[in-house]
Amino acid sequence: FLDGIEKMNIERGKYVIHVNNAHEFDTSEKINGFYFDTAYEYGNAYDKVQNSFIKYGYKFPRNYTKKCGCAFEMPNTFLVDCDLKLYFCTSSEKDDFFCQGYINDEGEICTNENYLKRRNLSVFHDDECKNCIFLPMCMGGCNYCRMKSEKYCIPEKYFFDDFVKKLYCEAKQE
């Protein structure tokens, strides 16, 4: 991929490359071998991706300290379906468990009890996350996964020593 980008000769400041794991959710396309089976497996692949970025002289992609695990976890952020129903995120469309309400004929947002459950879901109620040193980097990860009891930690957790060395080497070169 990076080799192809380089061959296009596009000025580096004109694009951003974002790397993220594709989760296999209920509504996902079922493709054998496309999804990682574990967060650890994805972590190893993500480490190799970062090494490729370094090889090509890019700043490697990384998670940053953030207020939430995903943009869809921000207050009043929804996926609006064509029938004006509001869903938790792109992975939850058409699943009544994740329906957050609807937009009425006057254009007002009408939330339901699922929305209240979502807003009250806190990573600080999860003892494992609350006591994890990576909490400031991931903020508990994907709430959709956590609501489905499919915890998925950030990849840096599985190769943290190498990650810190890469950050150090990158900072030294600047």
Side-chain angles (χ1 to χ4, degrees):
F1 175 78
L2 292 175
D3 191 45
I5 292 284
E6 289 295 308
K7 287 178 183 173
M8 286 193 247
N9 233 3
I10 302 170
E11 185 182 328
R12 286 194 179 183
K14 298 207 180 238
Y15 62 91
V16 174
I17 300 171
H18 176 74
V19 177
N20 196 24
N21 182 19
H23 295 279
E24 184 175 14
F25 296 120
D26 296 337
T27 58
S28 299
E29 181 76 25
K30 304 302 180 215
I31 304 170
N32 286 335
F34 183 76
Y35 304 100
F36 293 102
D37 291 327
T38 66
Y40 179 79
E41 184 182 348
Y42 173 64
N44 286 328
Y46 192 74
D47 183 37
K48 291 176 185 171
V49 166
Q50 287 182 339
N51 290 338
S52 295
F53 273 72
I54 291 167
K55 175 183 167 191
Y56 279 89
Y58 286 88
K59 283 190 165 198
F60 62 85
R62 57 178 108 1
N63 288 296
Y64 292 96
T65 303
K66 50 194 170 185
K67 295 179 184 175
C68 64
C70 171
F72 274 109
E73 294 170 22
M74 298 298 290
N76 296 323
T77 303
F78 305 98
L79 169 73
V80 181
D81 203 357
C82 58
D83 60 3
L84 299 182
K85 284 187 178 179
L86 306 172
Y87 290 93
F88 185 84
C89 69
T90 55
S91 298
S92 64
E93 185 180 14
K94 303 291 184 203
D95 185 337
D96 288 339
F97 179 77
F98 293 102
C99 182
Q100 306 289 292
Y102 62 95
I103 299 175
N104 69 17
D105 292 338
E106 288 76 41
E108 300 167 326
I109 293 175
C110 303
T111 58
N112 61 22
E113 65 279 353
N114 290 340
Y115 176 74
L116 295 175
K117 288 178 194 172
R118 168 186 160 194
R119 296 305 325 143
N120 290 327
L121 182 64
S122 171
V123 67
F124 299 105
H125 297 142
D126 182 315
D127 287 336
E128 183 181 347
C129 289
K130 190 169 53 176
N131 295 310
C132 179
I133 64 169
F134 298 99
L135 180 62
M137 286 178 70
C138 78
M139 289 310 293
C142 173
N143 266 346
Y144 176 86
C145 288
R146 289 187 320 112
M147 289 172 76
K148 295 192 69 137
S149 300
E150 298 171 4
K151 195 173 291 188
Y152 213 92
C153 298
I154 60 171
E156 291 86 350
K157 179 177 181 174
Y158 303 102
F159 64 97
F160 191 67
D161 290 345
D162 287 341
F163 175 69
V164 171
K165 288 175 190 171
K166 288 176 196 175
L167 286 174
Y168 174 76
C169 289
E170 187 178 89
K172 239 172 74 171
Q173 291 176 357
E174 290 180 350

